[in-house]
Amino acid sequence: MNRIRLVAVVFLALTFSAVLLADFVAPAPYAKQFREAPNAAPSAKHLLGTDDLGRDAFSRLLYGSRVSLLLAPAAALLSTLIAACIGGLAGYLGGWFERAALAATDLSLSLPWLFLLLTVRALLPLNIAPIASVTITFALLGVLGWSSSGRVICSGARAIRQSDFVLQAQALGCPPHRLFFKQVLPNLQPVLSAQFWTSIPIFIIAEANLGVLGLGVSEPLPSWGNLLRGLENWPEVKASPWKLMPIVLLVAVVSCFQLVFQKRENLAS
Amino acid sequence: MWLRALPKHFLRLALTILLGGLLGATLVRLAPGFGVDERELDTRLSTQSIEALRQSHAPQNNIFAYYRGYLVGLFRGDLGFSTSLARPVSELFAERLPVTLRSVAVGVAAGWLLGFFLALPSIFFRWKAYEVFTAGLSGLFISLPAAILGLGLVYAGGPASLAIALVVFPRVFQYARNILLQSAHLPHVLAAHARGLHSTRVVLCHVLPNAAPLLFALAGISVSMAFGAAIPIEAICDYPGIGQLTWQAALSRDLPVLVNVTLLITIITLAANSLSDLASTAFARPRL
Amino acid sequence: MIRRSLLPLALLASCWLFVSASNAQSGAQSGAQSSAQSGGELRFSIQSEPKSFDPMLADDDSSETVRYLTTGYLIRLNRQTQQLQPEMAASWKVSSTAQSITFELREGVLFSDGTPFSAEDVAFTMRRLMDPALHSPFADPFRSSAGDVKTEIKNPHSITLQFPAPVANLEQLFDGVAMLSAKSAHSDTAGLGPFVVSEHKAGSYILLKRNLNYWKHDAAGKPLPYLDSVRLDVQQNRDLDLLRFRRGETELINTLVADSYDRLAADMPSSVHDAGPSFDTEQIWFNQVPGAPIPDYKKAWFRSQNFRRAISQAINRADMCRIVFSGHATPAAGLLSPANHFWFNQNLHAEVADGPGALKRLAADGFHLDKDVLRDRDGHAVEFSIITNTSNKLRERLAVLMQDDLAKIGIRLNVVTLDFPSLIDRISHSFDYEACLLGLVNVDLDPSTQMNVWLSSASNHQWNPEEKTPATEWEAEIDKLMRAQASTTDNKKRKEYFDRVQEIVYEQAPFIYLVNKNALSAISTSVHNAVPVVLRPQTYWNIDSLYLTPPDPNGRHGE
């Protein structure tokens, strides 16, 4: 397992450095249109070919990864923290607070948040920089994404509240807030980490789906979202398999994350 | 004793559902583009006709009055009239609900089976190849948008409802794996192992019951997840279900349809989660 | 997409003072052969569930398709010859003032449920159509002034319609008026068209069966239509539609997108058709509404003719046609496409991309380049946003190409894609936008159908709708010219007026026209008698003469 973990770590390190140093690694600016060569096949000049407007696909993948790899984990962290607070407190405190929090969770899962996103977009100025609008989109996703794990965390916190060692600590006079942060939350860590790791690709894809409604990243900034949307045209992808690179990279990154951090969990528990 | 709590519980559920409907309606009402009609851009229409079109949406402008009227109608069995499809909402639901319920049921069941049974071996074995394989598999399916999964299945000639299963299973797998592993590492489970108890018995009698409350909560959530995935899948693959209806209603701001869909999803989510709560309390082991 | 009437209305050729059709009672369709085999089911896709089965209100594509297949009309525009031809009306006569029209109806025609067709049905249809509460898009063009239509039935096969004021383009408007039955018990479903709706599974498909009472016969006397049935599948995804066509599950694709065309042409060259430039245009315009919530300095830019013309000059239309449409489009010269042979102003030519020229034009208004950023007289950097709808990928690519073209002259363009209701809200209600990119499905040949775009008081005068008085001199001149062309029946004079309108639009560029798209379609080789044309519906306009031969059992469909 060590060797596999090492490979995963190296791959992640390489990807992150390439992405963070995109300004130096990318062969061309992501917006530059090589109009004589739209939809070109991979060549020495364009490692992954060009897209339908003649922009270098490799550069767009690097810059797009930068946007998604930095913002999606941030949003995932935000949603996990909110879920930990609300779900954890609900399970820990019990009673009316738990009932209210669970009702809020259920409502949050059922409401059409799409319209809130549309409203926020309408309130933003039209001339906002693409990076600002995508940051706001991810922030909103983070704020709205807590509900899918809220219940699970609440169950977990409830179980911990009713467990022996917590009763013992309470008997010993441990103050509630210390109990919550030192005992309850750490024991919720497996669920929280599952929430975190699954949220990252989910938010990346959510950004792609929102792009269909005009809420994603605006041109010419690339993101994994709009790179993934290109996959919907299956016959074209079959004819030019190098267009699968974004999804291959995303799957590789997500899987490597799982491999690296899961191992650590196993050792910890 | 719990019989006394039942009416209070139902009242709470009913209030939550009604609140959900109102909040959903408010979100739709406040969104940009409410009350506009694509037909306003038809150059054949005179200015008076366009003005009449704009006025036709006026009754929906006061959302509280609208919702009150809707609830009154609901008690009479009238779900309202769709503005985008010009048909009673009850007819639309009657046609489309069975289609979606069937595909969601199949999707959740298949996704759970797949996710759970992929997660289970992790507590027995520590095969590296298995870890890499499952990480890759769940990574792959969680990284593909639901719409692409649905499209892929249609191209391959399979039913789009399996796409729901493929959307549900990676998340179930991740959570279930972590929950089961955590349960498997509890002190009394390790002790049972050390005492030589058979693995299967340990899993069935100790690991699973401990994990049960969280797993039931997860089951409740996967129903909402499945409905959420059904919308883009049905929209892109032209499945005549509630998901496709919701997508079209969202794009045309069809308030009557959207209020009903929000209520429906709220009811289903609350029902699924209430059932999972009940199941987990039934399985709760008293701690001594 | 701004949609115009999907049923084309105008004539194409010579000037007529009186319009009267030939008495030809011929029911023969062009190209009908006695070798045609009866039977078979034609299958193709519609993009969405039809919103209405009422022929008076059929406004969207899918409803219009069902309407086209199931209803009959007094006068029909032949999509191929672009001439009017008699249908239910064996002949007609328009008065010299264009205020009344007399129809001699065809005899022996039955509705699909057997009720006979007569002048009473025409009167009933017109009364229903002109009901003010209905707001039918097919009725409004008749309403040149307030007042009711008077119907005078001389005998069961002759009727005169009297309008309160002259109606421009009168006879062509009847191509949009579907005949309803006054006496039938099922007046909603009884139609005069070649097919009748037989099955309808909402959201899934509509099955239409042959109308056994259809009045037409081919040259050999065989009753039309040849086809037994038509199946319309609701298929929103164009790629899936293409896949089904390749698999032989459908026989036609009515409108093909440019990149699908190329892919299909590589494998099935005899199935794809490029009928040449269509009437569809793609255009951008700037917000010139005085009360719009945008900064004053931007309003000043958008109101400047030099600014608008310079933008038009900076855009590279040739690249757009080559890259986005793979050559299946031509740069647009003005508001009409050259495919509209009679009305198109031949003196207009598309602007060639010229960045330096654009900068010179901008300099005349005080704009100057400051280290690769264009600034106006007061030092504001020239930056604005353009909104467009999300569901059209080709349009998004046009916007990105434009973004790059304008960056070359120092202008920063922000492309904002919005869902359609949000877009309409901004361009028609709140006016909170700076520029907009949309397309026009412009199937109407006659300029009178564009009154609601060019009149400054109209709602579809997009850059500044519903002006109380014309905001500029040139808009006042356009108003005058449009009214003038609507009030005469002398086509030569009308063409003079409308040529001048086209010139003014070219000079002032309230709309900057980008490209004219070609009419692309796909028809399986098992379908015979199909003649793809430019007017909608491109492939099945003559559906009553289409017939199928069984596909080659050994080979793939169409190969």
Side-chain angles (χ1 to χ4, degrees):
Chain A
M1 195 61 178
N2 263 331
R3 217 176 327 154
I4 294 175
R5 191 163 152 247
L6 189 65
V7 167
V9 169
V10 166
F11 176 79
L12 285 175
L14 275 176
T15 311
F16 266 92
S17 357
V19 154
L20 286 170
L21 296 171
D23 293 324
F24 304 101
V25 175
Y30 61 79
K32 182 169 163 72
Q33 297 171 359
F34 294 92
R35 293 196 182 181
E36 345 63 63
N39 275 319
S43 63
K45 190 169 170 208
H46 303 289
L47 287 173
L48 284 177
T50 58
D51 72 356
D52 37 38
L53 288 175
R55 298 176 292 194
D56 186 61
F58 182 60
S59 307
R60 287 184 71 77
L61 183 59
L62 282 178
Y63 282 97
S65 308
R66 185 155 72 171
V67 170
S68 301
L69 276 182
L70 291 179
L71 289 177
L77 188 64
L78 182 61
S79 81
T80 308
L81 284 175
I82 296 178
C85 288
I86 297 184
L89 275 175
Y92 181 61
L93 294 174
W96 66 268
F97 185 79
E98 183 184 357
R99 281 198 294 271
L102 287 178
T105 312
D106 288 337
L107 278 181
S108 177
L109 280 172
S110 326
L111 290 179
W113 293 114
L114 172 69
F115 296 98
L116 178 68
L117 290 167
L118 284 172
T119 309
V120 170
R121 180 70 192 89
L123 294 171
L124 291 174
L126 283 175
N127 281 309
I128 196 171
I131 193 70
S133 90
V134 72
T135 308
I136 293 176
T137 305
F138 273 110
L140 271 176
L141 285 176
V143 164
L144 296 171
W146 60 274
S147 43
S148 50
S149 65
R151 267 192 172 264
V152 184
I153 291 173
C154 180
S155 277
R158 197 190 304 135
I160 292 169
R161 167 175 41 109
Q162 293 161 342
S163 68
D164 297 337
F165 64 91
V166 167
L167 283 171
Q168 220 172 9
Q170 278 177 334
L172 285 172
C174 185
H177 61 270
R178 189 146 161 229
L179 200 59
F180 183 70
F181 285 110
K182 288 275 196 277
Q183 300 291 347
V184 177
L185 277 186
N187 273 293
L188 286 174
Q189 195 232 8
V191 182
L192 289 173
S193 73
Q195 158 80 347
F196 180 68
W197 295 119
T198 52
S199 294
I200 296 177
I202 286 172
F203 285 153
I204 291 178
I205 292 165
E207 190 264 313
N209 289 334
L210 292 176
V212 173
L213 295 154
L215 292 164
V217 172
S218 38
E219 292 281 2
L221 191 63
S223 76
W224 254 334
N226 57 31
L227 293 173
L228 284 181
R229 269 175 73 196
L231 286 182
E232 279 175 25
N233 197 339
W234 178 242
E236 200 182 304
V237 173
K238 223 169 43 169
S240 7
W242 53 89
K243 292 195 192 238
L244 282 171
M245 232 6 234
I247 191 71
V248 168
L249 186 62
L250 177 60
V251 173
V253 167
V254 167
S255 311
C256 286
F257 267 131
Q258 285 181 15
L259 285 172
V260 169
F261 289 94
Q262 272 168 18
K263 180 64 182 170
R264 200 165 285 157
E265 277 158 32
N266 284 341
L267 285 179
S269 45
Chain B
M1 184 200 70
W2 58 270
L3 211 59
R4 253 187 292 152
L6 217 55
K8 224 168 51 171
H9 186 67
F10 273 122
L11 186 66
R12 234 178 277 133
L13 274 181
L15 279 174
T16 313
I17 292 172
L18 288 177
L19 182 63
L22 180 62
L23 287 175
T26 313
L27 282 175
V28 175
R29 169 67 187 88
L30 294 176
F34 181 76
V36 306
D37 197 318
E38 207 179 293
R39 287 176 289 168
E40 284 178 47
L41 294 184
D42 189 336
T43 51
R44 293 170 295 188
L45 290 174
S46 65
T47 313
Q48 291 94 322
S49 297
I50 292 182
E51 199 43 52
L53 260 181
R54 289 184 185 158
Q55 290 307 318
S56 66
H57 288 273
Q60 293 175 354
N61 280 347
N62 181 340
I63 197 65
F64 294 104
Y66 172 78
Y67 195 59
R68 198 175 46 233
Y70 166 74
L71 288 177
V72 168
L74 190 61
F75 283 114
R76 281 200 312 252
D78 170 24
L79 293 179
F81 199 77
S82 160
T83 48
S84 65
L85 289 173
R87 292 176 63 198
V89 180
S90 39
E91 248 179 59
L92 291 168
F93 268 38
E95 281 165 3
R96 291 168 177 268
L97 198 52
V99 176
T100 303
L101 283 179
R102 210 177 314 133
S103 55
V104 166
V106 168
V108 170
W112 250 90
L113 282 176
L114 193 56
F116 189 70
F117 284 105
L118 274 181
L120 213 47
S122 313
I123 56 177
F124 290 115
F125 317 114
R126 289 278 181 273
W127 291 340
K128 304 170 195 174
Y130 188 75
E131 302 275 340
V132 174
F133 169 70
T134 49
L137 198 65
S138 75
L140 172 67
F141 285 107
I142 212 168
S143 308
L144 283 174
I148 291 186
L149 282 173
L151 272 180
L153 276 173
V154 174
Y155 277 116
S161 57
L162 273 185
I164 296 178
L166 291 174
V167 166
V168 168
F169 113 79
R171 300 186 218 188
V172 169
F173 167 73
Q174 264 297 335
Y175 276 91
R177 189 184 166 282
N178 285 15
I179 291 169
L180 287 173
L181 270 177
Q182 185 191 26
S183 292
H185 283 102
L186 285 174
H188 66 280
V189 176
L190 291 172
H193 242 304
R195 284 211 193 93
L197 226 54
H198 196 261
S199 300
T200 326
R201 182 123 180 253
V202 174
V203 167
L204 283 176
C205 300
H206 297 281
V207 177
L208 281 181
N210 257 308
L214 289 102
L215 289 176
F216 278 117
L218 184 62
I221 298 297
S222 26
V223 174
S224 320
M225 253 189 251
F227 264 100
I231 294 177
I233 289 174
E234 285 183 9
I236 289 239
C237 305
D238 290 309
Y239 231 50
I242 294 279
Q244 188 196 51
L245 179 68
T246 310
W247 185 246
Q248 287 169 356
L251 289 180
S252 36
R253 309 288 195 269
D254 189 340
L255 185 60
V257 172
L258 289 169
V259 166
N260 282 292
V261 169
T262 307
L263 277 177
L264 177 71
I265 295 185
T266 312
I267 291 172
I268 292 179
T269 307
L270 285 176
N273 288 329
S274 297
L275 277 174
S276 77
D277 275 346
L278 266 174
S280 61
T281 43
F283 268 82
R285 293 292 191 82
R287 309 296 195 114
L288 292 167
Chain C
M1 207 147 66
I2 303 180
R3 293 190 45 245
R4 303 280 185 88
S5 164
L6 285 196
L7 291 184
L9 305 176
L11 35 97
L12 170 62
S14 46
C15 41
W16 298 350
L17 278 174
F18 279 91
V19 180
S20 69
S22 69
N23 261 318
Q25 278 266 1
S26 90
Q29 289 286 318
S30 57
Q33 300 157 21
S34 50
S35 60
Q37 308 171 20
S38 282
E41 178 174 271
L42 183 72
R43 299 159 299 178
F44 59 97
S45 304
I46 48 178
Q47 251 72 55
S48 62
E49 171 71 10
K51 292 208 177 113
S52 170
F53 284 91
D54 181 350
M56 302 279 150
L57 295 174
D59 207 351
D60 57 303
D61 274 339
S62 308
S63 310
E64 296 247 15
T65 305
V66 175
R67 194 178 86 117
Y68 189 88
L69 297 174
T70 56
T71 54
Y73 305 81
L74 291 172
I75 301 172
R76 167 121 286 174
L77 177 73
N78 183 311
R79 298 332 194 233
Q80 186 183 20
T81 62
Q82 294 178 0
Q83 305 279 359
L84 293 176
Q85 70 187 31
E87 283 266 307
M88 299 304 134
S91 68
W92 66 89
K93 191 153 164 212
V94 180
S95 73
S96 53
T97 54
Q99 227 172 313
S100 81
I101 183 166
T102 304
F103 292 105
E104 297 299 323
L105 303 177
R106 203 176 287 276
E107 299 187 24
V109 177
L110 298 176
F111 279 90
S112 53
D113 63 351
T115 38
F117 170 68
S118 69
E120 250 186 79
D121 300 309
V122 179
F124 172 75
T125 303
M126 287 309 291
R127 265 198 314 275
R128 176 97 185 272
L129 180 76
M130 303 302 282
D131 178 4
L134 193 63
H135 295 295
S136 164
F138 306 105
D140 283 354
F142 283 107
R143 276 190 256 267
S144 49
S145 79
D148 289 325
V149 182
K150 290 201 210 15
T151 56
E152 195 190 310
I153 300 179
K154 295 198 200 101
N155 62 63
H157 296 287
S158 175
I159 181 170
T160 302
L161 300 172
Q162 183 86 21
F163 294 89
V167 177
N169 200 23
L170 179 58
E171 55 198 337
Q172 295 88 348
L173 293 178
F174 285 94
D175 185 72
V177 181
M179 290 293 115
L180 301 175
S181 170
K183 297 186 221 87
S184 163
H186 315 283
S187 65
D188 282 341
T189 48
L192 291 167
F195 296 95
V196 185
V197 176
S198 151
E199 268 170 55
H200 173 213
K201 181 150 180 253
S204 200
Y205 70 89
I206 301 171
L207 185 64
L208 301 147
K209 287 223 146 70
R210 175 194 284 139
N211 174 5
L212 298 164
N213 287 320
Y214 191 54
W215 60 280
K216 270 196 215 163
H217 299 263
D218 68 1
K222 211 165 166 185
L224 294 179
Y226 297 123
L227 297 166
D228 272 340
S229 55
V230 174
R231 190 184 154 109
L232 304 174
D233 289 312
V234 178
Q235 181 78 58
Q236 181 240 31
N237 189 323
R238 286 187 189 270
D239 293 320
L240 282 178
D241 192 19
L242 193 64
L243 179 73
R244 295 181 64 219
F245 180 80
R246 278 178 192 272
R247 284 193 189 149
E249 289 167 29
T250 55
E251 278 84 33
L252 338 148
I253 303 182
N254 202 38
T255 40
L256 258 187
V257 184
D259 33 16
S260 312
Y261 179 94
D262 291 329
R263 255 181 286 132
L264 202 55
D267 303 325
M268 300 163 76
S270 43
S271 297
V272 290
H273 301 272
D274 182 343
S278 67
F279 298 93
D280 299 353
T281 56
E282 296 281 328
Q283 70 249 31
I284 69 175
W285 72 87
F286 292 101
N287 185 355
Q288 295 188 49
V289 175
I294 55 178
D296 285 336
Y297 62 88
K298 288 198 184 177
K299 285 186 193 162
W301 299 343
F302 301 151
R303 251 179 246 142
S304 147
Q305 180 195 8
N306 276 333
F307 182 82
R308 297 192 299 266
R309 288 296 302 274
I311 303 285
S312 179
Q313 232 176 330
I315 293 173
N316 192 330
R317 291 170 174 78
D319 276 355
M320 285 178 174
C321 294
R322 179 175 57 88
I323 297 175
V324 178
F325 294 98
S326 314
H328 299 290
T330 44
L335 68 103
L336 286 185
S337 146
N340 194 340
H341 302 303
F342 180 71
W343 294 104
F344 177 66
N345 185 338
Q346 307 286 348
N347 299 324
L348 298 176
H349 303 281
E351 296 236 39
V352 178
D354 179 10
L359 280 170
K360 235 182 9 211
R361 206 183 253 273
L362 285 167
D365 262 14
F367 291 92
H368 56 278
L369 259 187
D370 171 27
K371 285 200 220 61
D372 290 338
V373 174
L374 191 74
R375 289 182 187 276
D376 71 357
R377 203 163 279 175
D378 303 317
H380 297 115
V382 180
E383 177 182 346
F384 60 91
S385 61
I386 189 162
I387 59 177
T388 187
N389 63 318
T390 56
S391 38
N392 192 324
K393 290 204 186 112
L394 293 184
R395 206 168 281 153
E396 287 180 47
R397 287 185 213 157
L398 286 179
V400 180
L401 282 177
M402 235 191 308
Q403 193 181 41
D404 195 63
D405 287 334
L406 292 180
K408 293 192 180 110
I409 58 169
I411 296 181
R412 192 189 155 106
L413 179 68
N414 296 312
V415 178
V416 180
T417 47
L418 297 172
D419 66 309
F420 214 47
S422 306
L423 185 103
I424 300 179
D425 187 51
R426 282 181 189 265
I427 64 176
S428 304
H429 293 233
S430 64
F431 303 113
D432 183 10
Y433 72 102
E434 288 163 353
C436 181
L437 165 65
L438 274 185
L440 221 84
V441 175
N442 183 356
V443 186
D444 304 336
L445 296 168
D446 193 283
S448 287
T449 55
Q450 298 193 32
M451 291 294 274
N452 285 330
V453 177
W454 300 112
L455 282 181
S456 56
S457 54
S459 315
N460 274 304
H461 191 73
Q462 289 303 343
W463 68 93
N464 191 353
E466 293 175 20
E467 294 172 33
K468 299 220 173 28
T469 56
T472 58
E473 267 176 42
W474 55 272
E475 283 174 275
E477 200 185 335
I478 293 182
D479 277 358
K480 211 171 66 193
L481 290 163
M482 286 306 289
R483 291 210 174 92
Q485 68 84 32
S487 57
T488 170
T489 49
D490 177 355
N491 273 1
K492 209 159 89 177
K493 271 237 202 68
R494 293 180 72 204
K495 176 144 169 76
E496 269 174 41
Y497 295 140
F498 200 63
D499 273 359
R500 179 74 194 118
V501 171
Q502 292 179 64
E503 267 169 36
I504 299 176
V505 170
Y506 185 89
E507 284 159 22
Q508 294 290 337
F511 286 122
I512 297 175
Y513 292 92
L514 300 176
V515 298
N516 290 316
K517 300 182 278 200
N518 283 8
L520 305 171
S521 55
I523 305 176
S524 163
T525 47
S526 63
V527 178
H528 296 267
N529 267 349
V531 182
V533 294
V534 161
L535 292 173
R536 284 177 164 74
Q538 296 96 310
T539 50
Y540 58 89
W541 61 274
N542 59 344
I543 196 160
D544 46 16
S545 333
L546 297 182
Y547 66 96
L548 294 170
T549 48
D552 178 0
N554 299 320
R556 284 248 328 254
H557 215 60
E559 278 174 346

